[in-house]
Amino acid sequence: MIEDTKDSRLRRGWTTGSCATAAAKAAFSALLGRGFPDPVEIALPGGERPSFALATTEIGADFARAGVVKDAGDDPDVTHGALVVATVRRAAAGRGVVFRAGDGVGTITRPGLPLAVGEPAINPVPRAMIARALAEVAEAAGAAVDVEVEISIPNGEKIAVKTLNPRLGILGGLSILGTTGIVVPFSCAAWIHSIHRGIDVARAMGFTHVAGSTGHTSEVAVQALHRLDEVQLIDMGDFVGGMAKYLRSHPVERVTVAGGIGKMVKLAQGLADLHSKRGSVDHDFLAEIAAQAGAAADVVARVRGANTALEVLEIARETGFDLGTPIAEAGWRTAAKLLDGAPIALEVAVFDRRGGLVATTGFRPVGM
């Protein structure tokens, strides 16, 4: 296992694409009568050549099968510990590498993803990694690479419920992912990847409005507010910047950024990543808003000494000053700057903990 150079305490891990590549290479080697290499070495897109231990092997009259257990390092990856299995069979001459979705690997059912509808959810980079690995084996054995590669993940369909695959129209299981082959702990690359794919699917299905939400409550609330289809809902989480950056080059006509009061205060403060590690609620900022809204000095002092943004909202409601509108407007300015003049009408909507609408800016072109 390689170490994360940014923090030596955190181990990097391997993507499902890397595990599938290692399993497929070992299985193809066995199919050609050269046995199962264990450990099996593969090439990553960046040039690294890690080795993987095999967890399972099986060979039959017309197939060979190998499995690798995914180690995501110290990343909280839902597929950590999953068994990624590759079954390799010979195909007709000239077919090249044909990919199949086995048990626990999904199938594409909606347009907008980097694979055609009906294809197994084995992404382009893992496909290229697998093809390269099989070519290495074929070259050493003096054989052709005309094979069917079936990737499966036992229990993958249940694991996929914890991912955004069902919303993206990837049904029946997990996706085989990875662009570098390496999982960087807490990089949240998979989450941002899902944001991008959600936008792609919405665009491909003809929707002109998407709503990125910071959590479940705000997502339910914004769906009801605008009567949105599930495909229009983007599970943005803390990554306003990640969503906005992608929308700059993949725009839709209307975008809503929706969130609870705490997250939206951080957006109003100018943060593009709303995670607590990136910044906290600034109560001096909220106190200034209260003062500008005409709150009495003792109310301003209460705001400055409050524990949470939610408590400040309660104080605002109790004492009658408008907190939501200036928060929404300041958040709009932050998000508009992130969208950098894209042809988009932007709305920021702020909700309370029960999903009640606190304030909305309405839709305005970001160029204004």
Side-chain angles (χ1 to χ4, degrees):
M1 180 62 60
I2 57 180
E3 301 292 327
D4 180 34
T5 56
K6 294 182 180 178
D7 186 342
S8 61
R9 296 170 297 176
L10 298 178
R11 295 184 308 123
R12 292 187 179 187
W14 309 113
T15 63
T16 47
S18 291
C19 297
T21 299
K25 184 176 183 180
F28 188 39
S29 175
L31 187 67
L32 295 179
R34 299 170 66 85
F36 292 97
D38 190 7
V40 55
E41 181 183 276
I42 66 167
L44 300 185
E48 303 95 331
R49 296 191 66 90
S51 294
F52 294 77
L54 299 182
T56 61
T57 59
E58 183 181 356
I59 192 161
D62 62 346
F63 74 91
R65 179 177 296 130
V68 171
V69 173
K70 176 173 176 177
D71 181 354
D74 288 327
D75 193 67
D77 191 316
V78 295
T79 57
H80 176 72
L83 179 65
V84 182
V85 179
T87 301
V88 180
R89 299 179 176 88
R90 295 185 187 275
R95 289 292 305 278
V97 182
V98 179
F99 291 96
R100 305 291 185 202
D103 179 49
V105 171
T107 298
I108 308 297
T109 68
R110 288 176 178 165
L113 296 170
L115 298 164
V117 171
E119 281 289 309
I122 304 169
N123 273 22
V125 171
R127 289 184 185 221
M129 290 171 61
I130 291 170
R132 177 179 176 181
L134 300 187
E136 288 182 1
V137 175
E139 183 178 2
V145 189
D146 294 310
V147 293
E148 177 183 292
V149 177
E150 178 187 287
I151 306 299
S152 59
I153 302 178
N155 205 41
E157 189 166 5
K158 290 183 179 179
I159 299 172
V161 173
K162 303 175 185 178
T163 73
L164 293 177
N165 274 17
R167 179 174 295 177
L168 295 174
I170 301 171
L171 303 183
L174 293 161
S175 302
I176 304 301
L177 299 173
T179 54
T180 64
I182 299 169
V183 174
V184 178
F186 298 96
S187 69
C188 298
W191 195 325
I192 293 174
H193 171 90
S194 295
I195 292 172
H196 295 175
R197 298 295 78 79
I199 293 167
D200 289 344
V201 169
R203 282 164 47 94
M205 294 185 68
F207 290 109
T208 58
H209 178 196
V210 299
S213 303
T214 59
H216 177 70
T217 298
S218 56
E219 180 177 90
V220 171
V222 78
Q223 183 177 30
L225 177 66
H226 290 301
R227 299 182 180 180
L228 300 176
D229 186 274
E230 180 186 55
V231 175
Q232 297 173 267
L233 303 175
I234 307 299
D235 187 1
M236 174 186 70
D238 295 320
F239 304 109
V240 180
M243 183 178 78
K245 181 178 179 180
Y246 195 72
L247 283 165
R248 289 205 303 260
S249 55
H250 301 79
V252 294
E253 291 179 13
R254 299 202 303 171
V255 172
T256 299
V257 174
I261 184 68
K263 297 291 188 182
M264 291 297 96
V265 167
K266 293 181 184 181
L267 183 67
Q269 292 169 198
L271 298 178
D273 182 339
L274 309 182
H275 194 278
S276 58
K277 292 192 298 183
R278 306 301 182 208
S280 57
V281 169
D282 183 344
H283 289 270
D284 288 333
F285 171 76
L286 292 176
E288 183 179 347
I289 288 176
Q292 290 176 351
D298 63 323
V299 173
V300 173
R302 286 177 62 192
V303 168
R304 185 172 279 111
N307 289 323
T308 65
L310 181 62
E311 183 181 349
V312 175
L313 177 60
E314 292 170 351
I315 293 171
R317 286 173 166 172
E318 173 193 333
T319 59
F321 77 85
D322 183 5
L323 175 70
T325 299
I327 292 300
E329 290 294 335
W332 190 96
R333 291 191 291 272
T334 299
K337 185 176 180 180
L338 293 169
L339 288 168
D340 193 26
I344 290 171
L346 170 68
E347 172 194 46
V348 169
V350 182
F351 296 96
D352 63 23
R353 68 187 303 174
R354 296 180 178 84
L357 182 64
V358 175
T360 177
T361 62
F363 291 96
R364 301 199 302 269
V366 299
M368 293 180 63

